[in-house]
Amino acid sequence: MLVVSSALLTDGVRASLINDFPDQTFEFYRSIDEASDRYPYIEILITYGEDLTPFHIRQMSKLKWIMVISAGMDLMPFAEIKERNILVTNAKGIHKIPMAEYAISMFLHLYHKQPIFYENQKKQAWNRNILVNEITGKTMTIVGTGEIGQELARIAKAFQIKTIGVSRNGEPKDYFDEVYPVDELITTLKHADFIVSILPSTNETKYLFQLAHFKAMPSHSIFLNMGRGDVVSSDVLLSALNTNQIAHAVLDVFETEPLPKGHPFWTHEKVTMTPHKSSHSPMYIPRAITIFRENLKKYSKGSSNFINEIDIDRGY
Amino acid sequence: MLVVSSALLTDGVRASLINDFPDQTFEFYRSIDEASDRYPYIEILITYGEDLTPFHIRQMSKLKWIMVISAGMDLMPFAEIKERNILVTNAKGIHKIPMAEYAISMFLHLYHKQPIFYENQKKQAWNRNILVNEITGKTMTIVGTGEIGQELARIAKAFQIKTIGVSRNGEPKDYFDEVYPVDELITTLKHADFIVSILPSTNETKYLFQLAHFKAMPSHSIFLNMGRGDVVSSDVLLSALNTNQIAHAVLDVFETEPLPKGHPFWTHEKVTMTPHKSSHSPMYIPRAITIFRENLKKYSKGSSNFINEIDIDRGY
């Protein structure tokens, strides 16, 4: 069967797939368009999930399985996929390690006053009168208790941090000391030193954090958003910072990306920002391909029970 | 009995001691000299351990117990203390949490490219072409497997880091995957992504790390010293950095402190430094006083088995 990748894969990954699955024919392209002559013959497609249109699905008349090597499924032509009953799997779970590290790294960055020591080194200033802090024993509210939230909670527990989760239904999860349903969000914020949003963008999550939520947070607390930018409006967050409702915001995602030049976040002394990088890792593709390989073994044997099979009706 | 503190304690700590131990008389001073009238009456002395001379011990004829609320015992007049068989306890163990956090925070800082994002924010540059990395799954060699090393190893294990310990005798310790005796130090460095020295300054540890050790480390490795500065000479370390034996050094301690202005470490692009701050924490005094309180209960009852009792002959 013909396996085509429209996602750029390294020579090492290509060679190992060819070597380990001799019964399959692999073809690697740099884009879906480059593979256009091959559309009618493709049985399995490896893609980042952002290049497929209904046209492609119709042209790929033999397509049986789409492996999306990311977690976002927003741009998939699900109607056509469902009609043909095409198997879709994704790489859900591969973001959890870098994102959990990102959040912990940022809280340590701020509590250990790394920006101050960084500037003092540049000034050759030996100043020991910097009040450093420790994250051990603090309280963290994690809004979103999926795989990423759980991984963050797991590492937080190693620092003896009290972990409070917020999810749709509030059901208990490993590594969370407590979990509450989202309609009790505001009560989970009152004793939080750290608040982390890992929410995707949906109708339910858009502008979930209102000024009242920031007013409920302790004035020394740090709000970190690495889910989607529209969970809070820029104006609300700026207002919360400027009226000292919270001490700091760490932002990896924004209502508009790239964040426009001149936006107040860039220069705000209470904002630390990164350009939507929290999920990046050199292990991203290797981990995605590991999932693909496991699924390809099952597929070749005609078995099912695939890792990360997508429910087409739900879209995740 | 009279309990005198020559260490500056907060009003809160003072009040809680007076309240919780009504049978004792507490007097609090800002220095040992300020308490000179009271020397003949002191039974228990709370001190940072840097203010005592043989003269003080002779003048304090009733002194039975010295509580040193730090871990360093280098400046204690042990000959006079031994002669009088005075009990000495210290606050060993209270450094482990901030120092373990310090090491993890620095590896995350460098692997997650925080200095680059910090500079890019100042420039309002939305640049996603920064190759971030993750510390998960890497290998860390920790030279010194005492309480601090163990705490660091414990947190490292939460990140699935392989932990290799180096100690005098190489005996197994919790949270270390492997432990080797110090004469095998060089073999523990070959596969280390992170090398951490937590060694005190002794005749055995002085200049322990020679150029050959840095040559054994991978060229991408990071060397972090938060023990004592004289475990490696500045010249050797600079040579290792300048000849690309290692990628980076994180230094909290130095041969000479404060590090003199103009020293090459200040401006070296491969050096991240802090001014001997890794053990600092707002929890320092509370944790030390917790040890003192436990010991005071035992002392008041005439029992022994004190926490952190010092072996006067060994000096630790």
Side-chain angles (χ1 to χ4, degrees), chain A residues 97 101 105 109 112 114 117-119 121-122 124 126-128 130 132-136 154 158 258-259 261-262 266-267 271 273 275-277 280-282 287, chain B residues 97 101 105 109 112 114 117-119 121-122 124 126-128 130 132-136 154 158 254 258-259 261-262 266-267 271 273 275-277 280-282 287:
Chain A
I97 288 177
E101 284 198 13
S105 80
H109 178 75
H112 285 259
Q114 286 177 340
F117 290 120
Y118 175 83
E119 293 292 350
Q121 180 175 352
K122 287 205 272 189
Q124 303 200 23
W126 182 276
N127 179 0
R128 302 185 78 222
I130 309 297
V132 293
N133 205 338
E134 57 184 54
I135 68 170
T136 293
R154 188 185 66 76
L259 186 69
K261 283 220 174 175
W266 283 111
T267 52
V271 172
M273 50 163 287
H276 205 144
K277 285 288 287 182
H280 283 212
S281 163
R287 286 188 184 123
Chain B
I97 287 176
E101 283 198 14
S105 79
H109 178 75
H112 285 258
Q114 287 178 339
F117 290 119
Y118 175 83
E119 293 292 351
Q121 181 174 352
K122 287 204 273 189
Q124 303 200 24
W126 181 277
N127 179 0
R128 302 186 77 221
I130 309 296
V132 294
N133 205 339
E134 57 184 54
I135 68 170
T136 294
R154 188 185 66 75
F254 304 88
L259 186 70
K261 282 221 172 171
W266 284 110
T267 51
V271 173
M273 50 164 286
H276 205 143
K277 285 288 286 183
H280 283 213
S281 164
R287 287 189 184 121

Coordinates of all heavy atoms in Angstrom, one line a residue, chain A residues 97 101 105 109 112 114 117-119 121-122 124 126-128 130 132-136 154 158 258-259 261-262 266-267 271 273 275-277 280-282 287, chain B residues 97 101 105 109 112 114 117-119 121-122 124 126-128 130 132-136 154 158 254 258-259 261-262 266-267 271 273 275-277 280-282 287:
Chain A
I97 N 4.7 17.1 27.5 CA 6.0 17.3 28.1 C 6.6 18.7 28.0 O 6.8 19.4 28.9 CB 7.0 16.2 27.7 CG1 6.6 14.9 28.4 CG2 8.4 16.6 28.1 CD1 7.4 13.7 28.0
E101 N 6.8 21.5 31.0 CA 8.1 22.2 31.3 C 8.1 23.7 31.2 O 8.6 24.4 32.0 CB 9.2 21.6 30.4 CG 9.7 20.2 30.7 CD 11.1 19.9 30.0 OE1 11.7 20.9 29.5 OE2 11.4 18.8 30.0
S105 N 9.0 26.2 34.1 CA 10.2 27.0 33.8 C 9.8 28.5 34.0 O 10.6 29.2 34.6 CB 10.7 26.8 32.4 OG 9.9 27.5 31.4
H109 N 11.4 30.9 36.7 CA 12.0 32.1 36.2 C 11.6 33.4 37.0 O 12.5 34.2 37.4 CB 11.5 32.3 34.7 CG 12.0 33.4 34.0 ND1 13.2 33.5 33.4 CD2 11.3 34.6 33.6 CE1 13.3 34.7 32.8 NE2 12.2 35.3 32.9
H112 N 12.5 32.9 41.0 CA 14.0 32.9 41.3 C 14.6 34.2 40.7 O 15.8 34.3 40.7 CB 14.7 31.7 40.8 CG 14.4 30.5 41.6 ND1 15.3 30.0 42.6 CD2 13.3 29.7 41.8 CE1 14.8 29.0 43.2 NE2 13.6 28.8 42.8
Q114 N 15.1 35.5 37.8 CA 16.2 35.3 36.8 C 16.3 36.6 35.9 O 17.5 36.9 35.5 CB 15.8 34.1 35.9 CG 16.2 32.8 36.7 CD 15.8 31.6 35.9 OE1 15.0 31.6 35.0 NE2 16.4 30.5 36.3
F117 N 18.8 38.9 37.9 CA 20.2 38.4 37.9 C 20.8 38.5 36.5 O 22.0 38.8 36.3 CB 20.2 37.0 38.4 CG 20.0 36.9 39.9 CD1 18.9 36.1 40.3 CD2 20.7 37.6 40.8 CE1 18.6 36.0 41.7 CE2 20.5 37.5 42.2 CZ 19.4 36.7 42.6
Y118 N 20.0 38.3 35.5 CA 20.4 38.5 34.1 C 20.9 39.9 33.8 O 22.0 40.1 33.2 CB 19.3 38.1 33.1 CG 19.5 38.2 31.7 CD1 20.2 37.3 30.9 CD2 19.0 39.4 31.0 CE1 20.4 37.4 29.6 CE2 19.2 39.5 29.6 CZ 19.9 38.6 28.9 OH 20.1 38.7 27.6
E119 N 20.1 40.8 34.2 CA 20.5 42.3 34.0 C 21.7 42.6 34.9 O 22.5 43.4 34.5 CB 19.3 43.2 34.4 CG 18.1 43.1 33.4 CD 18.4 43.6 32.0 OE1 19.5 44.2 31.8 OE2 17.5 43.3 31.1
Q121 N 24.1 40.7 35.9 CA 25.3 40.1 35.3 C 25.8 41.1 34.2 O 27.0 41.4 34.1 CB 25.1 38.7 34.7 CG 26.3 38.1 34.1 CD 26.2 36.7 33.6 OE1 25.2 36.0 33.9 NE2 27.2 36.2 32.9
K122 N 24.9 41.6 33.4 CA 25.3 42.5 32.3 C 25.9 43.7 32.9 O 26.9 44.3 32.3 CB 24.1 42.9 31.4 CG 23.6 41.8 30.5 CD 22.9 42.3 29.3 CE 21.4 42.5 29.6 NZ 20.6 42.8 28.4
Q124 N 27.6 43.8 35.7 CA 28.7 43.4 36.6 C 28.4 43.8 38.0 O 29.2 44.2 38.8 CB 30.0 43.9 36.1 CG 30.4 43.4 34.7 CD 31.9 43.5 34.4 OE1 32.7 43.4 35.3 NE2 32.2 43.5 33.1
W126 N 27.3 42.7 41.6 CA 27.2 41.6 42.6 C 26.2 42.1 43.7 O 26.6 42.7 44.7 CB 28.6 41.3 43.2 CG 28.6 40.2 44.2 CD1 28.3 40.3 45.6 CD2 28.9 38.8 44.0 NE1 28.4 39.1 46.2 CE2 28.8 38.2 45.3 CE3 29.3 38.1 42.9 CZ2 29.1 36.8 45.4 CZ3 29.6 36.7 43.1 CH2 29.5 36.1 44.3
N127 N 25.0 41.9 43.5 CA 23.9 42.3 44.4 C 23.2 41.2 45.0 O 22.4 40.5 44.3 CB 23.0 43.3 43.6 CG 21.9 43.8 44.6 OD1 21.8 43.5 45.7 ND2 21.0 44.6 44.0
R128 N 23.4 40.9 46.3 CA 22.8 39.8 46.9 C 21.5 40.2 47.6 O 20.8 39.3 48.2 CB 23.7 39.1 47.9 CG 25.0 38.7 47.3 CD 25.9 37.9 48.3 NE 25.4 36.6 48.5 CZ 25.3 35.9 49.6 NH1 25.7 36.6 50.8 NH2 24.9 34.7 49.7
I130 N 18.6 40.6 46.6 CA 17.4 40.3 45.7 C 16.6 39.2 46.4 O 17.2 38.2 46.8 CB 17.9 39.7 44.3 CG1 19.0 40.6 43.7 CG2 16.7 39.5 43.4 CD1 18.5 42.0 43.3
V132 N 14.7 36.3 46.5 CA 14.2 35.2 45.7 C 13.2 34.4 46.5 O 13.0 34.6 47.7 CB 15.4 34.2 45.3 CG1 16.4 35.0 44.4 CG2 16.1 33.7 46.6
N133 N 12.4 33.6 45.8 CA 11.3 32.8 46.4 C 11.5 31.4 45.9 O 12.4 31.0 45.1 CB 10.0 33.5 46.0 CG 8.9 33.2 47.0 OD1 9.0 32.2 47.8 ND2 7.9 34.0 47.0
E134 N 10.6 30.6 46.4 CA 10.6 29.2 45.9 C 9.2 28.8 45.6 O 8.2 29.3 46.2 CB 11.2 28.2 47.0 CG 10.5 28.3 48.3 CD 11.3 27.4 49.3 OE1 12.5 27.6 49.5 OE2 10.6 26.6 50.0
I135 N 9.0 27.9 44.6 CA 7.7 27.5 44.2 C 7.2 26.3 45.0 O 6.0 26.0 45.0 CB 7.6 27.1 42.7 CG1 8.5 25.8 42.3 CG2 8.1 28.3 41.8 CD1 8.2 25.3 40.9
T136 N 8.1 25.6 45.7 CA 7.7 24.5 46.6 C 6.6 24.9 47.5 O 6.7 25.9 48.2 CB 9.0 24.0 47.3 OG1 9.9 23.5 46.4 CG2 8.6 22.9 48.4
R154 N 1.4 16.6 37.6 CA 2.4 15.6 38.1 C 3.7 16.2 38.5 O 4.3 15.9 39.6 CB 2.6 14.5 37.0 CG 3.4 13.3 37.4 CD 3.7 12.4 36.2 NE 4.6 13.0 35.2 CZ 5.9 13.2 35.4 NH1 6.5 12.7 36.5 NH2 6.6 13.8 34.4
A158 N 5.8 17.1 42.4 CA 7.2 16.8 42.8 C 7.7 18.0 43.6 O 8.6 17.9 44.5 CB 8.0 16.5 41.6
P258 N 0.6 36.8 14.9 CA 1.5 37.4 15.9 C 0.9 38.6 16.6 O 0.1 39.3 16.0 CB 2.7 37.8 15.0 CG 2.6 37.2 13.7 CD 1.1 36.9 13.5
L259 N 1.3 38.8 17.9 CA 0.9 39.9 18.6 C 1.4 41.2 17.9 O 2.6 41.3 17.6 CB 1.5 39.9 20.0 CG 1.0 41.0 21.0 CD1 -0.4 40.8 21.4 CD2 1.9 41.0 22.2
K261 N 2.9 44.7 16.7 CA 3.9 45.6 17.3 C 3.1 46.8 18.0 O 2.1 47.2 17.5 CB 4.8 46.2 16.2 CG 5.9 45.2 15.8 CD 7.3 45.9 15.6 CE 8.2 44.7 15.4 NZ 9.5 44.9 15.0
G262 N 3.7 47.2 19.1 CA 3.0 48.3 19.8 C 1.9 47.9 20.7 O 1.4 48.7 21.5
W266 N 3.7 43.9 24.9 CA 5.2 43.8 24.6 C 6.0 44.5 25.7 O 7.1 44.0 26.1 CB 5.5 44.4 23.3 CG 5.1 43.6 22.1 CD1 4.1 43.9 21.2 CD2 5.8 42.5 21.6 NE1 4.1 43.0 20.2 CE2 5.1 42.1 20.4 CE3 6.9 41.7 22.0 CZ2 5.5 41.0 19.6 CZ3 7.2 40.6 21.2 CH2 6.6 40.3 20.0
T267 N 5.6 45.6 26.1 CA 6.4 46.5 27.0 C 5.9 46.5 28.4 O 6.5 47.2 29.3 CB 6.4 47.9 26.5 OG1 5.1 48.4 26.3 CG2 7.2 48.0 25.2
V271 N 4.3 41.6 32.3 CA 4.0 40.6 31.3 C 5.3 40.0 30.8 O 6.3 40.6 30.5 CB 3.3 41.2 30.1 CG1 3.1 40.1 29.0 CG2 1.9 41.7 30.5
M273 N 6.3 37.2 27.9 CA 5.7 36.6 26.8 C 6.6 35.8 25.9 O 7.8 36.1 25.8 CB 4.9 37.6 26.0 CG 5.6 38.8 25.6 SD 4.7 39.7 24.3 CE 5.0 38.6 22.9
P275 N 6.4 33.7 21.8 CA 5.5 33.7 20.6 C 5.0 32.3 20.3 O 5.4 31.7 19.3 CB 6.5 34.2 19.5 CG 7.9 33.7 20.0 CD 7.8 33.7 21.5
H276 N 4.0 31.9 21.1 CA 3.3 30.6 20.9 C 4.3 29.4 20.7 O 4.3 28.8 19.6 CB 2.3 30.7 19.7 CG 1.2 29.7 19.7 ND1 -0.1 29.9 19.3 CD2 1.2 28.4 20.2 CE1 -0.8 28.9 19.5 NE2 -0.1 27.9 20.1
K277 N 5.2 29.3 21.6 CA 6.3 28.3 21.6 C 6.2 27.2 22.6 O 7.0 26.3 22.6 CB 7.6 29.1 21.8 CG 8.1 29.9 20.6 CD 8.5 29.1 19.4 CE 9.9 28.4 19.7 NZ 10.3 27.6 18.6
H280 N 6.6 23.6 21.6 CA 7.7 23.2 20.7 C 8.7 22.3 21.4 O 8.9 22.5 22.6 CB 8.3 24.4 20.1 CG 7.6 25.0 19.0 ND1 8.1 25.6 17.9 CD2 6.2 25.1 18.8 CE1 7.2 26.1 17.1 NE2 6.0 25.8 17.6
S281 N 9.3 21.4 20.7 CA 10.3 20.5 21.2 C 10.9 19.7 20.1 O 10.3 19.4 19.1 CB 9.6 19.5 22.1 OG 10.5 18.4 22.4
P282 N 12.2 19.5 20.2 CA 12.9 18.6 19.2 C 12.3 17.2 19.2 O 12.6 16.5 18.2 CB 14.4 18.7 19.6 CG 14.4 19.1 21.0 CD 13.2 19.9 21.2
R287 N 8.1 11.8 18.6 CA 7.0 11.3 19.4 C 5.8 11.0 18.5 O 5.0 10.0 18.7 CB 6.6 12.2 20.5 CG 7.6 12.2 21.6 CD 7.2 13.0 22.9 NE 8.3 13.0 23.8 CZ 8.9 14.1 24.4 NH1 8.4 15.3 24.0 NH2 9.8 13.9 25.2
Chain B
I97 N 15.8 22.5 49.5 CA 14.7 22.9 48.6 C 15.1 24.1 47.6 O 15.0 24.0 46.4 CB 13.4 23.2 49.4 CG1 12.9 21.8 49.9 CG2 12.4 23.9 48.5 CD1 11.6 21.9 50.7
E101 N 15.7 23.7 43.5 CA 14.9 24.5 42.6 C 15.8 25.4 41.7 O 15.6 25.6 40.5 CB 14.0 25.5 43.4 CG 12.7 24.8 43.9 CD 11.7 25.8 44.3 OE1 11.8 27.0 43.9 OE2 10.7 25.4 45.0
S105 N 15.8 25.3 37.8 CA 15.4 26.6 37.2 C 16.4 27.0 36.1 O 16.1 27.5 35.1 CB 15.2 27.7 38.2 OG 16.4 28.2 38.6
H109 N 15.9 27.4 32.2 CA 16.2 28.7 31.7 C 16.9 28.6 30.4 O 16.6 29.2 29.4 CB 17.0 29.4 32.8 CG 17.5 30.8 32.4 ND1 16.6 31.9 32.4 CD2 18.7 31.3 32.1 CE1 17.3 33.0 32.1 NE2 18.6 32.6 31.9
H112 N 15.0 26.2 27.6 CA 13.8 26.9 27.0 C 14.2 28.3 26.5 O 13.3 29.0 26.1 CB 12.7 26.9 28.1 CG 12.0 25.6 28.3 ND1 10.8 25.3 27.7 CD2 12.5 24.5 28.9 CE1 10.5 24.0 28.0 NE2 11.5 23.5 28.7
Q114 N 15.1 31.1 27.6 CA 14.5 32.3 28.2 C 15.3 33.6 27.9 O 14.6 34.6 27.7 CB 14.3 32.0 29.7 CG 13.1 31.0 29.9 CD 12.9 30.7 31.4 OE1 13.8 30.9 32.2 NE2 11.7 30.2 31.7
F117 N 14.1 34.8 24.5 CA 12.7 35.4 24.4 C 12.6 36.7 25.2 O 11.8 37.6 24.9 CB 11.7 34.3 25.0 CG 11.6 33.1 24.1 CD1 11.9 31.8 24.5 CD2 11.1 33.3 22.8 CE1 11.7 30.8 23.6 CE2 10.9 32.3 21.9 CZ 11.2 31.0 22.3
Y118 N 13.4 36.8 26.3 CA 13.4 38.0 27.1 C 13.9 39.2 26.2 O 13.3 40.3 26.2 CB 14.4 37.8 28.3 CG 14.6 39.0 29.2 CD1 13.7 39.3 30.2 CD2 15.8 39.7 29.0 CE1 14.0 40.4 31.0 CE2 16.0 40.8 29.9 CZ 15.1 41.1 30.8 OH 15.4 42.2 31.7
E119 N 15.0 38.9 25.5 CA 15.5 40.0 24.6 C 14.5 40.3 23.5 O 14.4 41.5 23.1 CB 16.9 39.6 24.1 CG 18.0 39.5 25.1 CD 18.4 40.9 25.7 OE1 17.9 41.9 25.2 OE2 19.1 40.9 26.7
Q121 N 11.3 40.0 23.5 CA 10.2 40.8 24.0 C 10.6 42.3 24.0 O 9.8 43.1 23.6 CB 9.7 40.3 25.4 CG 8.5 41.1 25.9 CD 8.0 40.6 27.2 OE1 8.4 39.5 27.7 NE2 7.0 41.3 27.8
K122 N 11.8 42.6 24.5 CA 12.2 44.0 24.6 C 12.2 44.6 23.2 O 11.9 45.8 23.0 CB 13.6 44.0 25.2 CG 13.5 43.8 26.7 CD 14.7 44.4 27.4 CE 15.9 43.5 27.5 NZ 17.0 44.0 28.3
Q124 N 10.3 43.7 20.7 CA 9.0 43.5 20.1 C 9.1 42.6 18.9 O 8.4 42.8 17.9 CB 8.2 44.8 19.8 CG 8.1 45.7 21.0 CD 7.0 46.7 20.9 OE1 6.1 46.6 20.1 NE2 7.1 47.8 21.7
W126 N 8.5 39.1 17.3 CA 7.7 37.8 17.3 C 8.5 36.8 16.4 O 8.3 36.7 15.2 CB 6.3 38.0 16.7 CG 5.5 36.8 16.7 CD1 5.5 35.8 15.7 CD2 4.5 36.4 17.7 NE1 4.5 34.9 16.1 CE2 3.9 35.2 17.2 CE3 4.0 37.0 18.8 CZ2 2.9 34.5 17.9 CZ3 3.0 36.3 19.5 CH2 2.5 35.1 19.1
N127 N 9.5 36.1 17.0 CA 10.3 35.2 16.3 C 10.1 33.8 16.8 O 10.6 33.5 17.9 CB 11.8 35.7 16.4 CG 12.7 34.7 15.7 OD1 12.3 33.7 15.1 ND2 14.0 35.0 15.8
R128 N 9.5 33.0 16.0 CA 9.2 31.6 16.4 C 10.4 30.6 16.0 O 10.3 29.5 16.3 CB 7.9 31.1 15.9 CG 6.7 32.0 16.3 CD 5.4 31.5 15.9 NE 5.0 30.4 16.8 CZ 4.4 29.2 16.4 NH1 4.2 29.0 15.1 NH2 4.1 28.3 17.2
I130 N 13.1 29.9 17.1 CA 14.1 29.7 18.2 C 14.0 28.2 18.6 O 12.9 27.7 18.9 CB 13.7 30.6 19.5 CG1 13.5 32.0 19.1 CG2 14.7 30.4 20.6 CD1 14.7 32.7 18.5
V132 N 13.9 25.6 20.9 CA 13.8 25.3 22.3 C 14.1 23.8 22.5 O 14.0 23.0 21.6 CB 12.5 25.7 22.9 CG1 12.3 27.2 22.9 CG2 11.3 25.0 22.2
N133 N 14.4 23.4 23.7 CA 14.7 22.1 24.0 C 13.9 21.7 25.3 O 13.2 22.5 25.9 CB 16.2 21.9 24.2 CG 16.7 20.5 23.9 OD1 15.9 19.5 24.0 ND2 18.0 20.4 23.7
E134 N 14.0 20.4 25.7 CA 13.4 20.0 26.9 C 14.4 19.2 27.8 O 15.3 18.6 27.3 CB 12.1 19.2 26.7 CG 12.4 18.0 25.8 CD 11.1 17.2 25.5 OE1 10.1 17.8 24.9 OE2 11.0 16.0 25.7
I135 N 14.2 19.3 29.1 CA 15.2 18.7 30.0 C 14.7 17.2 30.3 O 15.5 16.4 30.8 CB 15.3 19.4 31.3 CG1 14.1 19.4 32.2 CG2 15.8 20.9 31.1 CD1 14.3 20.0 33.6
T136 N 13.5 16.9 30.0 CA 12.9 15.6 30.2 C 13.8 14.5 29.5 O 14.1 14.7 28.3 CB 11.5 15.5 29.7 OG1 10.7 16.4 30.5 CG2 10.9 14.1 29.7
R154 N 15.7 13.8 43.3 CA 14.3 13.5 43.4 C 13.4 14.3 42.4 O 12.6 13.7 41.7 CB 13.8 13.8 44.8 CG 12.4 13.4 45.1 CD 11.9 13.8 46.5 NE 11.8 15.3 46.6 CZ 10.8 16.0 46.1 NH1 9.8 15.4 45.4 NH2 10.7 17.3 46.2
A158 N 11.3 13.3 38.5 CA 10.0 13.7 38.0 C 10.0 14.1 36.5 O 9.0 14.0 35.8 CB 9.4 14.9 38.9
F254 N 32.2 31.1 43.6 CA 33.4 31.6 42.8 C 34.6 31.4 43.8 O 34.5 31.4 45.0 CB 33.3 33.0 42.4 CG 32.0 33.2 41.5 CD1 30.8 33.5 42.2 CD2 32.1 33.0 40.2 CE1 29.7 33.6 41.4 CE2 30.9 33.2 39.4 CZ 29.7 33.5 40.0
P258 N 33.0 38.7 46.7 CA 32.3 38.9 45.4 C 33.2 38.7 44.2 O 34.4 39.0 44.3 CB 31.8 40.3 45.4 CG 31.9 40.8 46.8 CD 32.9 40.0 47.5
L259 N 32.7 38.2 43.1 CA 33.5 38.1 41.9 C 33.9 39.5 41.5 O 33.1 40.4 41.3 CB 32.6 37.5 40.8 CG 33.4 37.1 39.5 CD1 34.4 36.0 39.6 CD2 32.4 36.8 38.3
K261 N 35.0 42.9 39.7 CA 34.6 43.5 38.4 C 35.6 43.3 37.4 O 36.8 43.2 37.7 CB 34.4 45.0 38.6 CG 33.1 45.4 39.3 CD 32.4 46.6 38.7 CE 31.1 46.7 39.4 NZ 30.2 47.8 39.2
G262 N 35.2 43.1 36.1 CA 36.2 42.8 35.0 C 36.6 41.4 34.9 O 37.2 41.0 33.9
W266 N 31.9 37.5 34.1 CA 30.8 38.5 34.0 C 30.2 38.6 32.6 O 29.0 38.7 32.4 CB 31.2 39.9 34.5 CG 31.4 40.0 36.0 CD1 32.5 40.2 36.7 CD2 30.3 40.1 36.9 NE1 32.3 40.4 38.0 CE2 30.9 40.4 38.2 CE3 28.9 40.1 36.9 CZ2 30.2 40.5 39.4 CZ3 28.2 40.2 38.1 CH2 28.8 40.4 39.3
T267 N 31.2 38.7 31.6 CA 30.7 39.0 30.3 C 30.8 37.8 29.3 O 30.5 38.0 28.1 CB 31.6 40.1 29.7 OG1 33.0 39.8 29.9 CG2 31.4 41.5 30.4
V271 N 28.5 31.9 30.1 CA 28.4 31.9 31.6 C 27.1 32.6 32.0 O 26.8 33.7 31.6 CB 29.6 32.5 32.3 CG1 29.4 32.6 33.8 CG2 30.9 31.7 32.0
M273 N 25.5 33.6 35.7 CA 25.9 33.6 37.1 C 24.9 34.4 38.0 O 24.2 35.2 37.6 CB 27.3 34.2 37.2 CG 27.5 35.5 36.5 SD 29.1 36.3 37.1 CE 28.5 36.9 38.7
P275 N 24.9 35.7 42.4 CA 25.9 36.1 43.4 C 25.7 35.2 44.7 O 25.2 35.8 45.7 CB 25.6 37.6 43.6 CG 24.2 37.7 43.3 CD 23.9 36.7 42.2
H276 N 26.0 34.0 44.6 CA 25.9 33.1 45.8 C 24.5 33.2 46.4 O 24.4 33.5 47.6 CB 27.0 33.4 46.8 CG 27.3 32.2 47.7 ND1 28.6 31.8 48.1 CD2 26.5 31.2 48.2 CE1 28.6 30.7 48.9 NE2 27.3 30.3 48.9
K277 N 23.5 32.9 45.6 CA 22.1 33.1 46.0 C 21.3 31.8 46.0 O 20.2 31.8 46.4 CB 21.4 34.1 45.1 CG 21.8 35.5 45.3 CD 21.2 36.1 46.6 CE 19.7 36.3 46.5 NZ 19.2 36.9 47.7
H280 N 19.3 30.8 49.1 CA 18.4 31.7 49.7 C 16.9 31.4 49.5 O 16.5 30.8 48.5 CB 18.6 33.1 49.2 CG 19.9 33.7 49.7 ND1 20.0 35.1 50.0 CD2 21.0 33.2 50.1 CE1 21.2 35.3 50.5 NE2 21.9 34.1 50.6
S281 N 16.1 31.7 50.5 CA 14.7 31.4 50.5 C 14.0 32.2 51.6 O 14.6 32.3 52.7 CB 14.4 29.9 50.6 OG 13.1 29.7 50.9
P282 N 12.8 32.7 51.4 CA 12.1 33.2 52.5 C 11.7 32.2 53.6 O 11.3 32.6 54.7 CB 10.8 33.8 51.8 CG 10.7 33.1 50.5 CD 12.1 32.7 50.1
R287 N 12.3 27.5 58.5 CA 12.7 26.1 58.6 C 13.8 25.8 59.7 O 13.7 24.8 60.3 CB 13.2 25.6 57.2 CG 12.2 25.4 56.2 CD 12.7 24.8 54.9 NE 11.5 24.7 53.9 CZ 11.5 25.3 52.7 NH1 12.6 25.9 52.3 NH2 10.5 25.2 52.0

